[in-house]
Amino acid sequence: MPSTKPLNPLLTYKFQVYFADEGGMPLLGMTRMSRLGRQIRKAGFHTGGQMRSPAAELQRGIAQEAVTFEQGICLSDGRLEGWVRGAAGCRATPRDLRVDVMNAQGEIASGYILAACRVSEYRALPQLDAQRSGVTGIAVLTVQPVGWRRAEKAG
């Protein structure tokens, strides 16, 4: 007898994004993701009469780069939209996100935790596919993390 289990529409996307504290169903399935990067900010200095040299720099802090997800879908369960609406009203709390990078077999190849993310850009597309119910198209989601780290393998 054939299985009547519903097909998960997120299985065909390379990057699956979750709220790190919830687990369960992913928020998003996206086809592109920007790099995860950090920059060490430096402040130059010199003392009386000495020329500034590369050695005369102090570390001023670490700047985290924004992470942008492009071209994907999210499940229409209201979790993402609620978080984005809160960000537009400047009352959203930062959330940790987990990003799973999927391999060609649909298994998790690697994962990352983006700490204390705030939404800085969200552009939704209207859903144009009548065959997919319960999903919303997304053009761009950009978040500003405080930091990031590799996620431990589950199991």
Side-chain angles (χ1 to χ4, degrees), residues 29-44:
M30 304 301 280
T31 56
R32 286 193 290 201
M33 177 181 158
S34 67
R35 67 182 182 183
L36 294 175
R38 357 177 126 97
Q39 289 184 326
I40 297 175
R41 291 186 259 165
K42 296 187 178 198

Side-chain angles (χ1 to χ4, degrees), residues 94-152:
R95 299 285 305 256
D96 290 352
L97 298 178
R98 187 179 91 230
V99 179
D100 289 340
V101 181
M102 311 305 279
N103 63 16
Q105 290 76 32
E107 301 163 343
I108 299 172
S110 62
Y112 298 90
I113 302 292
L114 308 179
C117 294
R118 292 189 183 270
V119 176
S120 62
E121 181 182 8
Y122 176 73
R123 282 188 270 151
L125 289 176
Q127 180 61 26
L128 302 175
D129 186 355
Q131 298 300 316
R132 286 191 177 171
S133 61
V135 295
T136 304
I138 294 180
V140 174
L141 173 69
T142 302
V143 295
Q144 303 285 337
V146 170
W148 58 269
R149 69 182 188 284
R150 264 193 174 285
E152 286 110 30

Side-chain angles (χ1 to χ4, degrees), residues 15-74:
F15 305 101
Q16 293 186 9
V17 182
Y18 302 75
F19 282 135
D21 58 350
E22 289 181 6
M25 283 299 288
L27 284 171
L28 307 166
M30 304 301 280
T31 56
R32 286 193 290 201
M33 177 181 158
S34 67
R35 67 182 182 183
L36 294 175
R38 357 177 126 97
Q39 289 184 326
I40 297 175
R41 291 186 259 165
K42 296 187 178 198
F45 72 94
H46 64 278
T47 57
Q50 293 183 349
M51 297 296 287
R52 185 172 169 216
S53 70
E57 291 183 342
L58 297 174
Q59 181 174 333
R60 213 176 72 188
I62 297 176
Q64 298 293 329
E65 295 179 7
V67 179
T68 302
F69 300 97
E70 297 178 336
Q71 295 182 350
I73 60 171
C74 81

